[in-house]
Amino acid sequence: MTTIEVLPVPPREIARRAPLRDAAVRPRQPRRSRRGAVLVFLPSALLTLALLMSGLGARSMWNDEYATWYASTLSLGDLAKLLADVDAVVAPYYLVMHAWTALAGDSETMLRLPSAVLMGVAAGLIAVIGRRLFDAGVGLTAGLIFAGLPSVSRYGQEARPYAFAIAAAVLAVLLLLRALERPTWRRWLLYGCCLTAAALLHIVTLTMLPAHLLLVRRALRDDGDFRVLRWAAAGSLALTGALPLLAKGSGQTGAISWIRADGQAVAQFPGRLFGSWQVAAVVVAAALVAAALLWSRQRGPVTLLLAWALFPPVFCYLSFPFLHLFLHRYLLFTLPAWALLAGALGHFLVRLSHDNRSVGLSLSAMLVAAAVFSVGGPGQLAARRSPVDGEPDFRSAAAVLTARMRPGDGIAYAGTGRNGRRAFGYETRRSGLPRDVLVARTSQEIGEFGTRECAQPAPCIGTTERIWLVSTTGPYQDPLGGMPEATQAYLRTAFTRADFQSFAGVRLFVLDRRESR
């Protein structure tokens, strides 16, 4: 009688052969795997942080960043008054920045540092998610792809909540995978709290919930337990936590009424989301090919990533008549999903031709990430250009004013430059500004970003002999455009234009009082 010896298969080989659709419900990983997660986390996180720290404070700020500075440096009482009128949905971010600026100061570098750090953390967490869903090679590749996206450089160097929202959204996915792996109430509570934080940092991140639900339903179908009920409890926690801000923000939609969802906006969306049309084409093409190749073997992870990448923009577009949320900045949290899918393709293709696992890992990371970095060069330069494309160069204009102003001068604003009060307030916060001659009530008094200007300019201007006029009207347009008719008439009658200097998007005029006859 012939006996057949059955050789045991090493556990690592079993894990390698296991279908990736079960990645979300793998048994608890040994402690040594945590070291592997750290080793995957660090390269992407440190590279992203290094790229963002280079020239972090060099680019001049733009309108929304000036708004962050203004809100975060108000007293808590004045901040509450402001949020009652506008930007309530950004209240948690402003509160965080209020504490941060009190500790670290309000230079461009310090205002942007939290975003840079959290974008680096997000890159590292993307690598860890890739390792959980696929393997370490995919995780490393996805993290490097994310680091090379021009939009990561742009918004990782910006004092706005987008990096916060990306980091919270990525962490929520990781915590969901951990909760599905070992569904204790503690893990579900952590997931629910992180999801709540993401919603509070940017309400649009809640559009990730359908992607999460698809993953949970797959785990339920495979195991038949009650994880979907615990997920529902965590999702309800997030919705309940965000509901007050959502209700308050619904009455402040005028601040986003300028957003468009027409054909031009749709056509420009991919390029703006990734920061470059070339990068968008490379990453999206790689991601879609990866989804097609991996669909039959790894449907669970692919479904999660496709829903994460596609559902939020589609929902925002279809709901635009009611919500006005179809804006690339609001949907930056979908970039990690594209990076993960693109990373999966690179590693998959390399492993077809290389049996050596370590060689495949390194070549995958280098080839795909190199492709993104090479085509993303122009986008990277544009992301770091000062000032931001289409935004006035208030920094340069303020430097000229500071060097040439005299005691007794006044200042006034025309065009959309009337929003330049915040910009000039920031750029001259050390040296001080001339008296704002047209202000009747300050922004702190009325609880808004803007001010109330004098209906009758003559009493407000008084005996001021020289006025600096900051105007953002076009180069061939009336520099007084946008001002009330009464103000324009008075300035034309009582003052004469003595000098002007042009900068990107803004002109600085000197108005001298006419001599009395």
Side-chain angles (χ1 to χ4, degrees), residues 198-415:
L200 292 175
L201 289 166
H202 209 289
I203 197 69
V204 185
T205 56
L206 285 178
T207 56
M208 287 181 60
L209 284 175
H212 294 194
L213 177 59
L214 290 174
L215 187 64
V216 174
R217 284 191 61 190
R218 186 167 185 84
L220 176 68
R221 188 183 67 184
D222 290 344
D223 288 3
D225 60 17
F226 293 97
R227 274 175 277 194
V228 70
L229 299 179
R230 296 183 180 184
W231 174 84
S236 299
L237 175 64
L239 290 171
T240 302
L243 193 60
L245 286 185
L246 184 61
K248 184 64 179 177
S250 64
Q252 301 176 352
T253 54
I256 56 174
S257 60
W258 56 270
I259 298 175
R260 297 288 178 265
D262 53 17
Q264 183 180 9
V266 173
Q268 293 176 343
F269 179 81
R272 290 184 173 179
L273 179 67
F274 288 88
S276 160
W277 256 110
Q278 295 88 339
V279 173
V282 169
V283 175
V284 171
L288 295 180
V289 172
L293 292 174
L294 301 174
W295 180 258
S296 60
R297 296 180 54 204
Q298 300 163 333
R299 187 168 301 177
V302 171
T303 301
L304 166 68
L305 297 177
L306 283 176
W308 180 359
L310 296 174
F311 180 82
V314 171
F315 173 83
C316 290
Y317 176 76
L318 295 177
S319 64
F320 181 79
F322 313 101
L323 298 177
H324 281 75
L325 296 175
F326 186 71
L327 185 65
H328 67 282
R329 296 197 294 268
Y330 296 172
L331 295 160
L332 291 169
F333 64 89
T334 62
L335 289 174
W338 291 112
L340 284 162
L341 280 172
L345 173 66
H347 194 67
F348 176 81
L349 294 179
V350 170
R351 289 185 65 179
L352 287 179
S353 56
H354 292 274
D355 294 329
N356 186 301
R357 188 179 182 85
S358 62
V359 172
L361 187 154
S362 58
L363 284 179
S364 170
M366 287 189 293
L367 291 177
V368 181
V372 172
F373 275 90
S374 62
V375 301
Q380 288 284 353
L381 294 176
R384 297 168 182 271
R385 188 177 299 135
S386 183
V388 171
D389 284 346
E391 293 293 321
D393 186 8
F394 288 122
R395 176 193 279 179
S396 298
V400 170
L401 183 147
T402 300
R404 296 178 54 189
M405 66 182 183
R406 300 195 300 246
D409 284 355
I411 190 169
Y413 301 86

Side-chain angles (χ1 to χ4, degrees), residues 2 6 20 26 94 114 123 137 168-169 174 177 254 275 280 297 305 311 323 332 407 413 453 464 475 513:
T2 305
V6 179
L20 296 183
R26 289 174 184 164
Y94 285 157
L174 179 60
L177 293 172
R297 296 180 54 204
L305 297 177
F311 180 82
L323 298 177
L332 291 169
Y413 301 86
E453 294 190 351
T464 302
R513 186 176 289 274

Side-chain angles (χ1 to χ4, degrees), residues 48-61 65 100 107-119 152-160 163 383-386 395 426:
T48 303
L49 184 60
L51 291 173
L52 295 177
M53 290 302 296
S54 175
L56 184 60
R59 190 185 69 217
S60 62
M61 299 210 299
E65 289 187 286
W100 172 251
S107 68
E108 290 94 337
T109 299
M110 289 297 103
L111 285 170
R112 292 166 174 165
L113 183 59
S115 292
V117 171
L118 285 175
M119 200 69 91
V152 169
S153 293
R154 161 70 194 278
Y155 295 101
Q157 293 185 330
E158 185 161 307
R160 292 301 287 172
R384 297 168 182 271
R385 188 177 299 135
S386 183
R395 176 193 279 179
Y426 176 80

Side-chain angles (χ1 to χ4, degrees), residues 23-37:
V25 291
R26 289 174 184 164
R28 186 178 183 182
Q29 297 179 352
R31 185 176 298 275
R32 63 182 178 179
S33 70
R34 298 178 185 175
R35 180 186 176 194

